[in-house]
Amino acid sequence: MSILQRSTPVEAMPGAAAAPGVPVQRAFLRELATFGFVGFIGTVISIGGANLMRHWMDGGPVTSVIVPTIASTLTSYVLNRHWTFRHRDSEGTGREVVVFFGLNGIGMAIQAACTGFTHYTLGLHGTLAYNVGLVTGLGLASAFRYWSYRKWVFTPATA
């Protein structure tokens, strides 16, 4: 049985992270949906900012990914901490912030590597190629971020 098929109330499951009486699949889907919405906002900031820097401000392909990703990361931290993962305990704001931004650094490296690979290794310099590399990197980095936030940043409430 998958997590989406389970109907056991969350309070009956050790380490579960949702309000009492809320089935696991609803809690998981709510968390995933809010993470997706925060990701959408971050994506608009990242892709919009990258294209603005790249095409209107003549920024380099990698620099144009890094600067908006930093702005997106700041926004995402606030929204994820206070909305998506608000039901999860924190081991302390200092630790959480350091781990969050460290993991986002890895995510940013994934994004920059995809964009750099497209531009420098494949030699594709057009707008479409730039955006395909950008979106591919963003997708891979987002998957890594969701997994890593759940595992190391916004940890389940302790009993």
Side-chain angles (χ1 to χ4, degrees):
M1 180 181 294
S2 77
I3 192 167
L4 296 177
Q5 296 170 332
R6 186 175 300 201
S7 61
T8 305
V10 172
E11 71 270 11
M13 300 182 65
V22 177
V24 171
Q25 75 271 14
R26 279 189 46 209
F28 173 74
L29 290 175
R30 186 204 64 81
E31 184 179 272
L32 190 59
T34 55
F35 182 82
F37 186 72
V38 170
F40 172 75
I41 292 169
T43 299
V44 169
I45 293 169
S46 292
I47 292 176
N51 278 289
L52 176 71
M53 287 188 67
R54 177 81 175 127
H55 300 293
W56 291 347
M57 302 169 92
D58 289 329
V62 175
T63 303
S64 295
V65 170
I66 292 173
V67 173
T69 300
I70 291 170
S72 172
T73 298
L74 294 169
T75 303
S76 294
Y77 176 77
V78 171
L79 292 174
N80 277 312
R81 167 72 335 227
H82 297 290
W83 187 31
T84 305
F85 298 107
R86 71 180 177 266
H87 59 281
R88 292 177 176 252
D89 278 347
S90 170
E91 289 185 18
T93 305
R95 176 215 163 266
E96 182 178 279
V97 169
V98 168
V99 173
F100 181 88
F101 284 97
L103 293 170
N104 269 281
I106 294 169
M108 186 168 49
I110 293 168
Q111 288 175 250
C114 289
T115 304
F117 179 78
T118 301
H119 186 81
Y120 296 112
T121 304
L122 298 179
L124 302 173
H125 303 274
T127 301
L128 178 62
Y130 177 75
N131 280 291
V132 168
L134 183 65
V135 170
T136 300
L138 195 57
L140 293 171
S142 293
F144 168 76
R145 286 178 178 119
Y146 181 71
W147 170 78
S148 65
Y149 292 173
R150 285 180 53 94
K151 184 162 181 70
W152 291 306
V153 181
F154 305 115
T155 55
T158 55

